Amino acid sequence: LVRALNGFLRQEGSLPVYDISAHTGVYRLVTVRYSKRTRTMAVLLVVKLEEVSKEAWSQEQARLLTLLGGLVRDGLTDDEDAPLDAGAAGEEGGEVKAGEEPGPDALVTSVMLQPYGGLSVPGPDDEVQLLHGADHIEEELLGLRFRVSPAAFFQVNTPAAEVLYTTAVELLQYCAARCHRPGAAVAAEPEAPP
């Protein structure tokens, strides 16, 4: 994904990347949310469109959606250590099928756009436009499924979050068995946490 986007932005005729010093250009920020467990990926592009004609942006957006919709999982693994940009255009084991509709093997399952012309970063209430797919990804944590939007705070290291939440529950159960109110029923004593 990273290599494919870099190649796209360097193509002749692509709209320019935002220059934070001069406050010019279009592409400001790319945020990617990916779940290895649900195999869903959302790409959010923050863009400054004030200096771009509607026609130019429409053409650019069509090219961008063709690129992102054509990235496929072919050649990607479920290996936790595999790089996110493995299998990008021109890389061994992956391919970009330009112009095809995203299918069940699509790497990018959602594409969103956030126009923003301010000097810093968009706020949580700034508009996000859905260009393709769902407005969220789904993530699984301890057997529960969560819908995660682009601006949501959600632990990106799911296995570590599961250890944290499991430990917190164990400590609460341990404390509840020993720190009860007078007259309250006491549950069977759990083993001390490790």
Side-chain angles (χ1 to χ4, degrees):
L1 174 66
V2 173
R3 289 186 188 118
L5 277 174
N6 273 331
F8 175 85
L9 294 172
R10 292 179 179 174
Q11 287 177 353
E12 189 172 326
S14 287
L15 295 175
V17 172
Y18 184 75
D19 181 329
I20 196 168
S21 299
H23 306 293
T24 60
V26 176
Y27 294 101
R28 296 180 59 125
L29 176 69
V30 177
T31 301
V32 177
R33 288 201 177 259
Y34 177 62
S35 170
K36 287 181 187 256
R37 292 178 178 183
T38 64
R39 297 188 60 90
T40 55
M41 179 185 293
V43 176
L44 172 68
L45 296 142
V46 179
V47 293
K48 181 181 176 191
L49 298 176
E50 285 88 359
E51 302 165 7
V52 179
S53 73
K54 287 184 180 184
E55 182 181 334
W57 176 247
S58 179
Q59 291 173 356
E60 183 86 349
Q61 184 174 302
R63 288 179 49 242
L64 186 61
L65 285 173
T66 297
L67 170 79
L68 294 175
L71 294 175
V72 294
R73 283 194 199 104
D74 182 43
L76 294 182
T77 69
D78 288 326
D79 179 3
E80 291 291 322
D81 296 322
L84 189 57
D85 62 349
E91 296 298 312
E92 184 178 326
E95 61 182 298
V96 174
K97 297 177 181 176
E100 291 187 9
E101 284 296 312
D105 289 330
L107 177 62
V108 178
T109 53
S110 299
V111 179
M112 290 162 268
L113 181 76
Q114 190 168 38
Y116 183 71
L119 296 180
S120 60
V121 295
D125 296 328
D126 286 324
E127 174 191 15
V128 174
Q129 300 170 5
L130 180 62
L131 302 180
H132 166 74
D135 64 353
H136 62 278
I137 64 163
E138 292 190 356
E139 182 59 275
E140 290 179 4
L141 182 77
L142 293 173
L144 301 172
R145 198 164 257 240
F146 295 87
R147 290 173 54 163
V148 183
S149 67
F153 175 80
F154 195 87
Q155 174 58 260
V156 296
N157 186 338
T158 305
E162 287 179 322
V163 170
L164 174 68
Y165 293 135
T166 300
T167 302
V169 168
E170 289 171 355
L171 289 172
L172 286 170
Q173 289 172 338
Y174 180 79
C175 184
R178 286 169 177 65
C179 308
H180 64 279
R181 298 183 314 271
V186 177
E189 296 228 357
E191 294 182 28

